[in-house]
Amino acid sequence: MPLPHWEETPTDLPGAVREIKAALRAQIAASGRTVEEVFAVVERDVAAEVAEIAAAKARGEEVWPVIAYDDIESGRVSAADVARLRKRGCLVVRGHFPREQALGWDAGIVRYVEENKFFENYRGPGDDFFGSVGSKPEIYPIYWSHAQMEARQSDRMARVQAFLNSQWKHTSDDGTQWFDPERDSLYPDRIRRRPEGADSAGLGTHLDPGTLDLWMTQAYQQAFRHLFDGSVEQYDPWDAAYRTSGPQYPGSTMCSAFRTFQGWTALSDMNHDQGVLHTVPIPGAMAYLMLRPLLNDVPDDDMCGVTVNQVFPATHKWHDMLMEALAGIPDVRAGDSVWWHCDMIHSVAPVQDQQGWGNVMYIPAAPWCPRNETYAASVREAFRSGSSPSDFPAEHYERDWTNRFTEADLNETGRRGLGLAS
């Protein structure tokens, strides 16, 4: 019996939550297993990974895999490093860009915003999410600087993105290709510049792949089919099947694109204890997060706090075991890049009196697929007009700015990424 589904945000959210939870429990029961039995399989596997990570942290070992860009470029990444990347779902790419190039981009962004009087015209945070970090501003709603676009369309970025995309199963056994691992959609995002001496509240533990749509839309119900049909052992967090066409419910923190990895490129040196990114480096923990609301201790109209128009929260109340595995990045230098699987819990640690700058530009791996091709059409229009992309608050600072990156500056990678070339 097909699951109920809502391709647009349900008008009666509590009612829809109750209906989908009952239907999912019934579907699992029809397989001959109980929700508790299925969840126990996931809990056992995830608990073993949490214990392994906690032990590594206690020994002072780096949890995050690190791979040199030169090894990616030359195809010399070892099988052991690939296995570690897939196990942990995150990566630091050392020397992704030359350090002086990254520092030059950082200086170029400063010139770009200053010559266009950004600070004189800054109107405050455009959303509630990054508005919580506390410094003014920390997240710059800037998308079309030469620095950002040069990095997005560079050969070095394309090689790393293709390497990361290739970790996913992008073609099903029946021949369906869910995305092109060699072509990125140049998903435009913002920059962060956190100055020396800053105090920042950071960002709490959360996920970004979606909210209630992960349980309530047909595409995601198929993407997570093994969690909901009793075949949980077959669930693969690296399988892209059905994930590249489905909708996401609208909200101030939505992402219209499918990202294999979220990522950022460092524009300054940053030490590991200066308010940096942390993840729960267990890609398979998504199964825990998706099944946890179906247990009997969660109210029938509650999805462990997940709702629309907010990020997907990961909390001690419902996911306490996972929090023990939270692990921060190692020290990074300008030009390194940092990547994490799109389903992974992540946070940004708070910091007081930050030592050194904390500057990054957010550039993910968002391979070409039907979902990303659709979003690329709106990105092209935002690019041409200097507008904020539709996934982000409608601030539009750059519309009349000088020295903005233009269509004439695009190379072939950039044109393909915006859908201007095939």
Side-chain angles (χ1 to χ4, degrees):
M1 183 175 175
L3 291 168
H5 59 91
W6 298 260
E7 299 309 295
E8 296 179 354
T9 309
T11 51
D12 176 10
L13 277 178
V17 170
R18 285 191 291 268
E19 186 176 347
I20 192 60
K21 288 177 74 166
L24 291 171
R25 287 169 176 149
Q27 182 170 278
I28 291 171
S31 74
R33 305 174 87 172
T34 66
V35 169
E36 288 74 19
E37 287 170 342
V38 168
F39 184 76
V41 172
V42 172
E43 188 174 37
R44 182 188 66 237
D45 291 346
V46 172
E49 295 236 41
V50 169
E52 190 178 302
I53 292 164
K57 289 200 296 183
R59 293 191 298 267
E61 297 172 7
E62 289 291 0
V63 172
W64 277 64
V66 178
I67 296 176
Y69 170 79
D70 289 346
D71 288 342
I72 295 174
E73 183 181 52
S74 62
R76 292 197 311 264
V77 179
S78 70
D81 278 342
V82 169
R84 192 154 185 261
L85 162 60
R86 290 175 59 82
K87 183 177 179 64
R88 292 284 166 251
C90 55
L91 178 66
V92 173
V93 177
R94 287 275 185 238
H96 188 165
F97 295 99
R99 184 168 182 273
E100 292 308 314
Q101 182 177 28
L103 294 174
W105 279 336
D106 191 46
I109 288 169
V110 172
R111 287 194 300 273
Y112 179 61
V113 299
E114 286 183 346
E115 70 189 12
N116 286 290
K117 296 183 167 42
F118 169 64
F119 300 107
E120 292 88 332
N121 296 306
Y122 179 62
R123 299 184 293 271
D127 58 35
D128 293 333
F129 182 51
F130 276 119
S132 69
V133 295
S135 55
K136 308 182 188 306
E138 180 169 323
I139 304 298
Y140 290 25
I142 306 303
Y143 305 89
W144 309 119
S145 68
H146 279 263
Q148 289 162 289
M149 286 299 294
E150 286 169 11
R152 289 175 193 145
Q153 70 171 9
S154 74
D155 289 345
R156 294 173 81 96
M157 182 59 70
R159 284 190 194 99
V160 171
Q161 288 165 330
F163 170 72
L164 293 168
N165 291 338
S166 70
Q167 306 310 318
W168 283 71
K169 182 179 180 181
H170 49 80
T171 302
S172 291
D173 296 339
D174 64 3
T176 303
Q177 185 179 32
W178 300 101
F179 66 76
D180 179 354
E182 299 294 329
R183 179 181 178 184
D184 194 84
S185 63
L186 264 68
Y187 184 82
D189 204 333
R190 299 176 281 195
I191 61 171
R192 185 189 81 195
R193 299 196 84 249
R194 192 195 294 151
E196 293 184 272
D199 296 340
S200 176
L203 295 172
T205 44
H206 67 281
L207 304 84
D208 295 330
T211 57
L212 292 178
D213 42 278
L214 300 177
W215 290 274
M216 292 183 175
T217 60
Q218 277 189 306
Y220 278 118
Q221 287 170 355
Q222 290 176 292
F224 294 115
R225 62 200 178 280
H226 294 302
L227 304 181
F228 302 142
D229 67 4
S231 60
V232 66
E233 288 85 357
Q234 296 178 47
Y235 171 68
D236 178 3
W238 297 98
D239 185 356
Y242 303 103
R243 297 189 60 152
T244 60
S245 55
Q248 187 176 109
Y249 292 159
S252 62
T253 58
M254 72 178 296
C255 178
S256 297
F258 168 67
R259 298 175 290 192
T260 55
F261 283 78
Q262 294 176 249
W264 51 254
T265 299
L267 299 178
S268 64
D269 300 344
M270 284 170 276
N271 290 338
H272 68 278
D273 57 355
Q274 296 300 304
V276 299
L277 178 78
H278 287 60
T279 65
V280 174
I282 306 172
M286 191 64 179
Y288 185 106
L289 293 157
M290 294 298 293
L291 288 167
R292 183 68 183 85
L294 303 183
L295 296 184
N296 290 330
D297 63 335
V298 184
D300 282 345
D301 61 355
D302 185 6
M303 282 292 196
C304 296
V306 180
T307 187
V308 296
N309 209 28
Q310 296 178 24
V311 293
F312 187 130
T315 64
H316 283 282
K317 178 177 181 180
W318 299 118
H319 316 114
D320 192 53
M321 180 181 76
L322 301 178
M323 298 303 152
E324 193 180 347
L326 198 66
I329 61 171
D331 296 347
V332 295
R333 288 167 59 81
D336 293 344
S337 61
V338 173
W339 304 88
W340 63 103
H341 186 292
C342 60
D343 286 350
M344 287 203 329
I345 298 168
H346 57 285
S347 66
V348 179
V351 65
Q352 288 190 312
D353 189 22
Q354 176 172 291
Q355 305 302 300
W357 282 80
N359 302 346
V360 308
M361 50 183 163
Y362 298 102
I363 303 176
W368 198 254
C369 62
R371 180 171 165 180
N372 295 356
E373 183 175 5
T374 298
Y375 186 60
S378 69
V379 169
R380 283 195 298 275
E381 296 312 306
F383 168 62
R384 285 167 169 153
S385 64
S387 302
S388 301
S390 58
D391 271 359
F392 298 89
E395 296 168 278
H396 309 309
Y397 284 101
E398 295 171 273
R399 281 180 172 173
D400 59 356
W401 280 19
T402 59
N403 198 30
R404 200 173 72 229
F405 193 94
T406 68
E407 198 164 336
D409 300 312
L410 291 169
N411 63 16
E412 186 63 18
T413 300
R415 291 180 60 79
R416 293 181 75 221
L418 294 175
L420 294 168
S422 58

